[in-house]
Amino acid sequence: MEKNSRYFEGCGREGPINCIFLTEFHHTAGPKITCQVPEDVIAKDKFEAVSVYIIPKAQLQRSTLTITVRDLKILGFPVRIDNKKYARNAFYFNLCFVFDVWARTVQYEPLVKKLSDYLTAMEMESNFLSQQEQNSKNRECLVTLLYQVLHDLNSYKMCTLSGGTMTTHLKVVRVCSDPIQVLDHHVPVFLETNALFRSDQWDLTTQQVLPYIDGTNHVAKIASEADVENNLVKSCLQNLVYYGLVSMVPIFQYSNMYTATPKLRRLALDKRLHEECLRSVAKSGRQLPYLRDVFRLYASMTHGVTMSDLCARYNLAQLHVDERKLVQFGVLEGLIRRVERFPVLVTESCQGPLHPHFTGLHSVDELCCVLGLKAQNLLDQVDRDPAAVFIWK
């Protein structure tokens, strides 16, 4: 399958929940699936191959288990409820989430446990699970509940359930390393569709900041236009970066230089990537560019070639390519990287007003934000200054 050819187990990519099913241990028939939404994702032969692990021995009860079967990954939390009212004096069940085999699932482990505890409480209160086959109302409620969990977690990464006297809140929290530091000159770009950003999901500061994230505004400008203190905006954006909803890219300017990376070869080999690329960089949705033209544009990016040079060399409008979208997609996918300019002093014989900033540690973008200068003005000043030069890296 196409997406399986692009992703592989251990690649770290997150995928949707494909299915949720409830399995029980029947006192005569043994383990069996009693509810599955949508139906028939887990076929009978697949289930029988791993049922001994889905309803495991006592030592593995109330442990998070991940089982790989063919092209699927099953995440469950087996539970045993001891009570003399049940056959064999115990009721065994396991609520399982099903993913593609390559999907990262660690962030769903607390949710599977919490949802299992919620169903355990409902079972102890009203025999909600053990009587579903005899009670059609219980079964309808369970199917509705599982469909709600499947839809809300895939669409919004959160879900609220209420049943009987109980309510529980589920939220997908990504487990990942600390994000890069957000700086004034960084430009935030959405990685997820705006439909995921429900107003009740975020704090007031985030709600104020979100409308100004357009892939063009840098952090300092967002803080100014949203009328929010700069450090609060940085904290808010760093939170969004942590959860993988936003990424930071350099400010786009026609004086910028970029260079292709070894990952560019993926654009020629990966059909899914190049289809996504053509949709993303197209000037309009009516006419997509050709892959050969987009590949040639990326391959032409190198040291000494500015975006202005590239636009003069190729007629991007005629190629149906938007240069901003071209750069943004290339940076986000790692096909190209920005070549930064860092002013540095080569002599201290004279001291100008900008010289304290020319340490080689601050890029042109950063200095423009700090000093309130336009990039071209700063470039001209450094070019005219015999005591300063640019380091490119």
Side-chain angles (χ1 to χ4, degrees):
M1 295 191 302
E2 199 169 330
K3 67 180 176 180
N4 288 352
S5 67
R6 180 178 181 186
Y7 302 139
F8 52 90
E9 189 169 4
C11 66
R13 298 296 295 251
E14 294 182 13
I17 305 170
N18 294 334
C19 165
I20 302 177
F21 69 88
L22 179 78
T23 180
E24 301 174 11
F25 182 84
H26 190 272
H27 63 283
T28 57
K32 66 175 186 175
I33 295 176
T34 55
C35 185
Q36 181 176 185
V37 295
E39 296 182 356
D40 301 325
V41 173
I42 300 296
K44 184 178 179 181
D45 60 332
K46 282 187 179 180
F47 176 72
E48 289 178 348
V50 294
S51 62
V52 66
Y53 305 108
I54 293 177
I55 302 291
K57 300 294 184 181
Q59 296 90 330
L60 293 178
Q61 295 292 327
R62 296 198 63 80
S63 299
T64 303
L65 302 179
T66 303
I67 304 146
T68 299
V69 49
R70 299 181 191 171
D71 57 342
L72 297 176
K73 185 182 290 185
I74 301 172
L75 175 64
F77 186 79
V79 175
R80 167 181 169 175
I81 303 174
D82 293 308
N83 196 303
K84 292 183 179 180
K85 68 181 179 181
Y86 301 116
R88 301 194 182 186
N89 299 321
F91 176 66
Y92 300 82
F93 77 91
N94 192 352
L95 181 83
C96 299
F97 288 6
V98 181
F99 306 86
D100 290 305
V101 70
W102 49 262
R104 185 173 185 262
T105 60
V106 64
Q107 70 275 17
Y108 287 97
E109 292 179 3
L111 275 71
V112 170
K113 179 181 183 301
K114 191 172 184 180
L115 187 53
S116 297
D117 288 341
Y118 175 74
L119 293 177
T120 300
M122 291 185 68
E123 167 65 20
M124 297 176 71
E125 183 182 75
S126 62
N127 297 324
F128 179 67
L129 298 179
S130 60
Q131 296 298 315
Q132 62 160 312
E133 292 188 313
Q134 294 79 28
N135 187 327
S136 60
K137 185 177 179 181
N138 278 14
R139 179 168 178 78
E140 289 173 7
C141 288
L142 180 61
V143 170
T144 301
L145 181 148
L146 296 186
Y147 266 118
Q148 180 186 346
V149 172
L150 182 70
H151 174 268
D152 288 0
L153 292 184
N154 280 340
S155 301
Y156 311 117
K157 307 299 183 187
M158 59 188 300
C159 179
T160 299
L161 299 172
S162 296
T165 61
M166 291 161 292
T167 299
T168 192
H169 303 279
L170 307 174
K171 185 172 183 179
V172 181
V173 178
R174 294 185 69 215
V175 180
C176 51
S177 57
D178 291 339
I180 63 168
Q181 184 182 3
V182 174
L183 302 175
D184 285 345
H185 60 285
H186 286 164
V187 177
V189 177
F190 283 122
L191 298 179
E192 302 282 356
T193 173
N194 290 5
L196 290 177
F197 293 89
R198 301 193 307 180
S199 59
D200 59 349
Q201 187 177 358
W202 304 104
D203 57 78
L204 292 175
T205 301
T206 304
Q207 292 178 42
Q208 283 182 262
V209 167
L210 287 176
Y212 298 97
I213 300 177
D214 60 1
T216 301
N217 292 337
H218 54 72
V219 173
K221 187 174 182 180
I222 290 173
S224 175
E225 293 193 356
D227 195 22
V228 177
E229 202 274 324
N230 192 283
N231 286 331
L232 286 178
V233 172
K234 290 179 182 178
S235 297
C236 157
L237 292 173
Q238 193 139 19
N239 188 49
L240 294 177
V241 171
Y242 180 83
Y243 289 115
L245 302 174
V246 162
S247 185
M248 295 294 163
V249 299
I251 297 172
F252 177 86
Q253 296 178 97
Y254 286 96
S255 58
N256 287 357
M257 292 185 192
Y258 301 87
T259 187
T261 73
K263 290 184 179 180
L264 181 59
R265 65 191 299 270
R266 289 175 48 221
L267 192 58
L269 302 175
D270 189 334
K271 184 178 179 182
R272 186 182 179 91
L273 178 64
H274 90 234
E275 289 176 350
E276 183 182 347
C277 175
L278 297 185
R279 289 193 301 270
S280 299
V281 308
K283 201 165 185 68
S284 71
R286 295 189 300 273
Q287 177 68 56
L288 295 182
Y290 292 107
L291 178 64
R292 65 174 182 269
D293 294 329
V294 174
F295 193 94
R296 183 172 57 187
L297 289 171
Y298 281 135
S300 299
M301 295 181 183
T302 186
H303 289 261
V305 178
T306 65
M307 279 305 298
S308 180
D309 297 334
L310 197 71
C311 292
R313 185 184 306 173
Y314 302 100
N315 188 337
L316 271 64
Q318 191 173 15
L319 298 178
H320 310 292
V321 172
D322 183 298
E323 57 267 30
R324 288 178 180 270
K325 294 178 181 178
L326 178 77
V327 167
Q328 190 174 102
F329 183 86
V331 170
L332 290 175
E333 290 293 333
L335 308 180
I336 59 173
R337 68 174 180 83
R338 171 78 182 278
V339 180
E340 298 272 15
R341 281 169 287 199
F342 295 81
V344 61
L345 288 179
V346 292
T347 176
E348 297 183 1
S349 57
C350 59
Q351 280 292 323
L354 297 179
H355 285 179
H357 302 283
F358 294 173
T359 62
L361 300 176
H362 308 290
S363 68
V364 167
D365 287 352
E366 185 177 356
L367 291 176
C368 286
C369 283
V370 171
L371 303 174
L373 295 173
K374 290 186 177 181
Q376 195 57 52
N377 291 343
L378 181 57
L379 296 178
D380 291 341
Q381 290 189 51
V382 175
D383 286 339
R384 293 194 302 265
D385 190 341
V389 294
F390 283 121
I391 293 177
W392 299 79
K393 59 182 178 179

